[in-house]
Amino acid sequence: MDMSPFEQSESSVRGYCRAYPTVFASASNARQTAEDGTSYIDFFAGAGVLNFGHNNPRMKDAMIAFLQADGVAHSLDTYTTTKRDFIEKFRDVILRPRGMDYRMQFMGPTGTNAVEASLKLARLATGRREIVAFSHGFHGMTLGSLAATANEAFRQWAGVPLTDVVRLPFETAPGGDTAIAEYRAALLDPSSGLTPPAAFLVEALQAEGGVNIATAGWLHQIQDLAREVGALFIIDDIQAGCGRTGDYFSFDGMGLEPDIINLAKGLGGFGTPIAMNLNKPSVDDHWSPGAHTGTFRGQGLSFVAGTVALDYFTDDVLMSEVRAKGAVLRDRLEQIAAAHPDQGWTVRGRGMMQALDTGDGAFAKRVQQAAFEAGLLIGPCGTGGQVIKLIPPLTIPDDDLTQGLDILDKAVATALGVA
Amino acid sequence: MDMSPFEQSESSVRGYCRAYPTVFASASNARQTAEDGTSYIDFFAGAGVLNFGHNNPRMKDAMIAFLQADGVAHSLDTYTTTKRDFIEKFRDVILRPRGMDYRMQFMGPTGTNAVEASLKLARLATGRREIVAFSHGFHGMTLGSLAATANEAFRQWAGVPLTDVVRLPFETAPGGDTAIAEYRAALLDPSSGLTPPAAFLVEALQAEGGVNIATAGWLHQIQDLAREVGALFIIDDIQAGCGRTGDYFSFDGMGLEPDIINLAKGLGGFGTPIAMNLNKPSVDDHWSPGAHTGTFRGQGLSFVAGTVALDYFTDDVLMSEVRAKGAVLRDRLEQIAAAHPDQGWTVRGRGMMQALDTGDGAFAKRVQQAAFEAGLLIGPCGTGGQVIKLIPPLTIPDDDLTQGLDILDKAVATALGVA
Amino acid sequence: MDMSPFEQSESSVRGYCRAYPTVFASASNARQTAEDGTSYIDFFAGAGVLNFGHNNPRMKDAMIAFLQADGVAHSLDTYTTTKRDFIEKFRDVILRPRGMDYRMQFMGPTGTNAVEASLKLARLATGRREIVAFSHGFHGMTLGSLAATANEAFRQWAGVPLTDVVRLPFETAPGGDTAIAEYRAALLDPSSGLTPPAAFLVEALQAEGGVNIATAGWLHQIQDLAREVGALFIIDDIQAGCGRTGDYFSFDGMGLEPDIINLAKGLGGFGTPIAMNLNKPSVDDHWSPGAHTGTFRGQGLSFVAGTVALDYFTDDVLMSEVRAKGAVLRDRLEQIAAAHPDQGWTVRGRGMMQALDTGDGAFAKRVQQAAFEAGLLIGPCGTGGQVIKLIPPLTIPDDDLTQGLDILDKAVATALGVA
Amino acid sequence: MDMSPFEQSESSVRGYCRAYPTVFASASNARQTAEDGTSYIDFFAGAGVLNFGHNNPRMKDAMIAFLQADGVAHSLDTYTTTKRDFIEKFRDVILRPRGMDYRMQFMGPTGTNAVEASLKLARLATGRREIVAFSHGFHGMTLGSLAATANEAFRQWAGVPLTDVVRLPFETAPGGDTAIAEYRAALLDPSSGLTPPAAFLVEALQAEGGVNIATAGWLHQIQDLAREVGALFIIDDIQAGCGRTGDYFSFDGMGLEPDIINLAKGLGGFGTPIAMNLNKPSVDDHWSPGAHTGTFRGQGLSFVAGTVALDYFTDDVLMSEVRAKGAVLRDRLEQIAAAHPDQGWTVRGRGMMQALDTGDGAFAKRVQQAAFEAGLLIGPCGTGGQVIKLIPPLTIPDDDLTQGLDILDKAVATALGVA
């Protein structure tokens, strides 16, 4: 396998390729195959994009048919039949059954653009500047989103002050349980030095941040405070949404009504780019036509595959599988943790995002390496990469799931030096 | 044609659909066909994305083959065979013949992400904050890029101060000819209140800004000053690059050596998202692995189609066509301007980006509407939308080109009320 | 009394004159006399400036002698004999007995300039931007100090975003007791979104903020955290220092070692302007000559009177009086509060800064008005002006003290409508 | 002379004392006397404060009388008889004869506080953020004023980005003559990236910046543009005002009507601190009571001496002397420049602010040193301190003036190595 073109001509910013030093040639469902024929079980799924597997057959067929029929692949924000299909199906399958009334906004097809658009809208709608974001939150790499992202490993490269964000601890961080109440007290005190924000931006389940899970109660505290002080309540569901947790939204069933919901990653189904915000109509009305543009807003292939992906949510088949496979993941991680009680590892997650917090980034990296060498792709997350996050495609066959977990088990042992 | 789903469920931020009130169902080369069968000649090409036409057959075939072979559609920044093909071909076809030594950086696949990454790198490489950007420049919608974008129509929605940018007039704006020399004098004067910037960010040919063309001499002034004060020289070639002007880069033949070149739009060939910066190695070395990430960095379909697109640059066939068709566009616009000498219209452009500056946004909008009704898609640009910019696919058949110009001619007359 | 010149020709920004609608003609110790002959007992002392009374006779004599001898009244930061006297005496009387090793920095002679200079020095010394300041803190009106000031009543007029300050609750505010520990946890967590600050800026006793008193333990928490994370620890002792609390510094006896101490108000003794920072030598070394200048840095009259004022600290006579009179103030306020138990009033303070928190700004204003009409000057403070703060000159005669408290007692009754 | 207390206990930020290494003990009119008896002629006048000489006898007498009568030395912004005297006299002597209708605002008694207050008011009055300030401008050291100050020698110590200021070249800097017109063109162009500012802040005669003189025509360009775009026009007359140029205001006779005028330095007459803004009533109305406060706003001694100082402007005696002595200064500097034609020195100034631009800061420093050793105090200014600025008290006796110029002449020769 010739990696020299990358080493010579690709930017030194490249990252994942250093953890997975091979050249991938093809991929199918939960497996990627390298140019040398090695097959890897994929517990990373493109950082949470490939919920429905690599080269999902139904999506692939639809995309090929679309191409053959000369569908409109690129449309900016003009109307196309494929976008209409997507909008109607998303409305019928996702929104209406939940009694949700939202407008769909498409922007530059990356999660960070979705977040940027939502912050812009929140500031327009309120006439305020500051966004409340939380420790361990991840929201993207462009300047507006990066200001909301908490991890210093990303923030340190901004090159300019990251401003207009107020930082509170996430529920699971020290002080997180009382932070909302104390922040509320400060907002009600005209001598606190703080004024009401434009919005609260939060992940109900922090993925990159280390698989940290907020309770419904805490999220309601935020929503209530947002309502009380005239701020918007934004949930970034980019990584945890689209079925990952066993429901379409990670916050399904909590009775929440965010003003804006950010979606991307899994939304296009196939791994082609798309991003979308769901805006409450009263909030969305603050937009003027063309106020937030972007060249690649209208992606025919993503609409086509994304429309097929919505079929998974017309019944409970996939979601019940997610709950079942999630339990398998969870059980196995708890067994691993229990097998090494002196390590103080903890297991947490929801649905098919399950994680082993090893408390040691160097160790987790060794696990990642051992797993890779044995044919399993995993991606550490959290502070210093200490959390081993498992997010296989939701469609992973049981055999691959089991085999992947076996590899992980051994990789942990290898990394501990006990294998 | 049912437009109600858009009207009910799509965000009110949607824009182009208001100028083109129809639903497109298919597209081929320079034509788009609406659901009701109406065929439109496309002189807008997805805002400069579709240089090689809608559903370019060779690209389409390659993409279908890639899908059928279970190629790696989504890869983050791991190595894939398709990315390697793209990198090698870009290096061989574009860089080496020009004696250019650059590294390719892929980021979130939109132009704005490319610009954000380049500003971040410039700030890292220099330890400075400020970016010099120019009046009428367009660089994107996320907060870092928007700060560099000049048009108040976009800036007014930011909701926060847009900072860390120093603004100079573009060469063609009042004071533009002396601005670089005066700015240099200020930088050399320790009491000017100005300190050296991290970078100069400029379009050699401003597309959205109104088809404003910089001379090689002026661009060399900028490059020289950047070198002198230790700043980077960044050319945003997102809309004007990839063959639009009759050369691959809009600044080809000028003897310039930018430190970073931003590319996106036409790079993927087919209209699927991709963005890439070309970084000089000495600059690129300032990146740390993973310092600027993004979920959709590795887009297999865009690499596949983009690799095919590079075939157009292995010989001079397409580029000579561009020059010839560009002359046709230019001649016709000049005839139109000459036919209405009292209007004070001017014509300008390079290659197949040609424009009629009407000096009147409301008039240009009427032209756009009349053209649409007669089956031609055009997009105004510049301040208040007063400039009618023609950017058909480079591959447009001569008949469509002629027919489109005929429609334009009549639309101008209609808008003037003389038809 | 002719007030028309003020009403016609003084700015509408004027404030205290609206609460005290008279024209003062002379003043002596704790009394001010209006043009119409009315005598007022002064429990406000120029917002804490006139610790040693109006027209303190010893200072006045020294100032007259200085003027008659053609002393150097204005000296920028050249050396003068009067400045030398002041420096030597301050060192001998204040610093040495406390084992304090500090350098004295004179700047523009207002408290806000002292704070600005200290923030500048902290940022220089650490290479960091952010300052931790506290709710209810008051630090001045110029842009750098105003950013640290908490009260929205002042912040709202800035006209620009007030940046580079992190806000924590003061010890007595909700969450204040745990705020330092939680902030420490965040600083130790690289995914908290927070990075170490340049300095902590705190008043040991918040005067304008409502007479809020920090404990030694809490201040040590701050000092310890500052040391741990490489930040400076700055105490703003502008209003509470210079003997007000019964010691020279408001934090005397707490075992604290601030890196910078801000002084102003009472420092000049007579009410003429002066401001001074005490900088630890290792911190002060970060200054370059002339890095922070100011026209009125060297004020001969203030040095002369300020040198006389230091005589009050060569023995315990005044300070023991302060403790005794402070007890008188305190007892009387507690009697007043006890007499109206249903009001929920609280009394707090140290030394001769004692306060009645009425919880009701409108009521406190009525008390102020009734007191004025009966010949007593008091100034409400705290959020909405709900706290009646008593800060008479430390040298107030017992009779004036008693008489003033009698007036206050009646004014409270009047304001309650029970008089 | 014992300088050790300064060396041991004063901050290393001290500056002028390094150029004048002595200890001053007394001062009278244009002479300062050191502790060792050495007498110095003062051509620096406290950086432009002591327009009426050190220890001006009439002011001194008034101040002593005021002290003896227990006048109100410190009054915040309550009404006092001395403030009323000052306000009435300033109105009668300065404003009315010029047909000027302004309100007087007193703030923290330093020039930087005056500037800060004016920027705050401009932002309040317009709802805009940005202030246009000019190269070589000096406006103070606190954060808001420092952002407007141009000299990097001061800006570099801010420790935070200095924001919300747009920088244009002063009339005499490269591009200065066309800058206002070009900036106007940009403001009228909605794609320039620039929006209208809150205010233009300019010195009609830049003192610290190197004695740079604006023409009436250029200042009118600014005033006209301010009016056109709804911005305020602020003249900082802190150093050049109060009679220095031969008129009370440096812009007298130009037909200008600034919205705000900043005054300080010479206003108090004696060298005691005071600062004042003159606000047009329509602008001043934007203030709320107490919106900009400050402990030392009401300075009885400064009002008393400042009232006496106004006597100098009831007739033309002093101003005609200023014009005459200014001519003496000017002639002598021109002779000096003419005597060394190969040096390329230039002479410029107005009234009794005259300067020799040597183009060489190191040389000017040697002149300063040689002059000091021969008994003359001068202060270099401008970029790198290359401009020798002569600003003796306006009341300097002719003999001292001549003798001082003789010393300067020799010091120049000494510094050139030709003496």
Side-chain angles (χ1 to χ4, degrees), chain A residues 15 35 60 70 84 284, chain B residues 11 35 60 70 77 84 284:
Chain A
E35 201 175 14
K60 191 165 71 172
D70 280 345
R84 191 177 57 203
D284 188 78
Chain B
S11 169
E35 203 175 11
K60 190 165 71 172
D70 280 344
D77 63 354
R84 191 176 59 202
D284 187 78

Side-chain angles (χ1 to χ4, degrees), chain C residues 25-160:
Chain C
S26 65
S28 180
N29 202 353
R31 286 197 171 260
Q32 294 199 54
T33 305
E35 203 176 13
D36 62 5
T38 312
S39 175
Y40 296 88
I41 297 174
D42 186 359
F43 273 21
F44 191 48
V49 168
L50 296 155
N51 283 2
F52 315 104
H54 291 271
N55 283 294
N56 183 291
R58 279 191 289 162
M59 297 178 198
K60 191 166 69 173
D61 289 349
M63 290 163 79
I64 290 173
F66 170 80
L67 287 168
Q68 285 171 333
D70 280 346
V72 184
H74 180 275
S75 62
L76 296 163
D77 61 355
T78 59
Y79 298 150
T80 65
T81 50
T82 47
K83 182 159 80 167
R84 191 178 57 203
D85 291 345
F86 179 85
I87 287 176
E88 290 186 307
K89 192 154 180 189
F90 192 89
R91 189 188 58 195
D92 294 345
V93 173
I94 305 298
L95 298 181
R96 285 203 175 143
R98 288 168 175 78
M100 293 170 78
D101 182 20
Y102 285 87
R103 294 200 195 126
M104 300 173 223
Q105 178 183 1
F106 304 98
M107 62 290 295
T110 71
T112 195
N113 295 37
V115 172
E116 293 259 353
S118 65
L119 301 190
K120 202 182 275 191
L121 181 55
R123 284 157 172 158
L124 284 176
T126 60
R128 302 174 185 165
R129 279 191 311 113
E130 289 182 322
I131 304 296
V132 177
F134 293 86
S135 68
H136 297 255
F138 181 90
H139 302 288
M141 288 287 113
T142 53
L143 217 53
S145 306
L146 186 56
T149 293
N151 199 313
E152 188 60 18
F154 295 117
R155 294 170 65 83
Q156 67 182 307
W157 313 110
V160 292

Side-chain angles (χ1 to χ4, degrees), chain A residues 368-389:
Chain A
Q368 180 186 33
Q369 189 180 340
F372 173 75
E373 286 167 7
L376 174 70
L377 306 178
I378 55 172
C381 66
T383 303
Q386 69 182 41
V387 179
I388 297 173
K389 178 177 65 173

Side-chain angles (χ1 to χ4, degrees), chain A residues 65-246:
Chain A
F66 170 80
L67 288 167
Q68 285 170 334
D70 280 345
V72 184
H74 179 277
S75 62
L76 297 162
D77 62 356
T78 59
Y79 299 149
T80 66
T81 50
T82 47
K83 183 160 80 167
R84 191 177 57 203
D85 292 346
F86 179 84
I87 286 176
E88 290 186 306
K89 194 155 179 187
F90 192 89
R91 190 188 57 194
D92 294 345
V93 173
I94 304 300
L95 298 182
R96 286 205 174 140
R98 287 169 175 79
M100 293 170 76
D101 181 21
Y102 285 88
R103 293 201 195 126
M104 300 172 222
Q105 178 183 0
F106 304 99
M107 63 290 295
T110 71
T112 194
N113 296 38
V115 172
E116 293 259 354
S118 65
L119 302 190
K120 201 181 276 190
L121 180 55
R123 285 158 172 159
L124 284 177
T126 61
R128 302 174 185 165
R129 280 189 312 114
E130 289 182 322
I131 304 295
V132 177
F134 293 87
S135 68
H136 297 256
F138 182 90
H139 302 287
M141 288 287 112
T142 51
L143 217 53
S145 306
L146 186 56
T149 293
N151 199 311
E152 189 59 20
F154 294 117
R155 293 171 65 85
Q156 67 181 306
W157 313 109
V160 292
L162 295 169
T163 60
D164 301 316
V165 168
V166 172
R167 186 72 51 183
L168 296 184
F170 191 72
E171 185 178 9
T172 55
D177 51 341
T178 57
I180 305 303
E182 288 168 13
Y183 182 61
R184 179 179 179 277
L187 291 183
L188 299 183
D189 173 359
S191 297
S192 66
L194 301 177
T195 49
F200 293 78
L201 172 66
V202 68
E203 299 154 283
L205 196 173
Q206 293 187 325
E208 290 305 304
V211 188
N212 307 311
I213 305 171
T215 63
W218 188 75
L219 293 167
H220 271 283
Q221 273 191 282
I222 297 176
Q223 177 174 291
D224 290 350
L225 180 53
R227 300 284 188 266
E228 181 178 358
V229 301
L232 300 198
F233 176 45
I234 306 174
I235 292 186
D236 176 339
D237 219 26
I238 292 172
Q239 185 160 162
C242 301
R244 172 57 58 187
T245 59

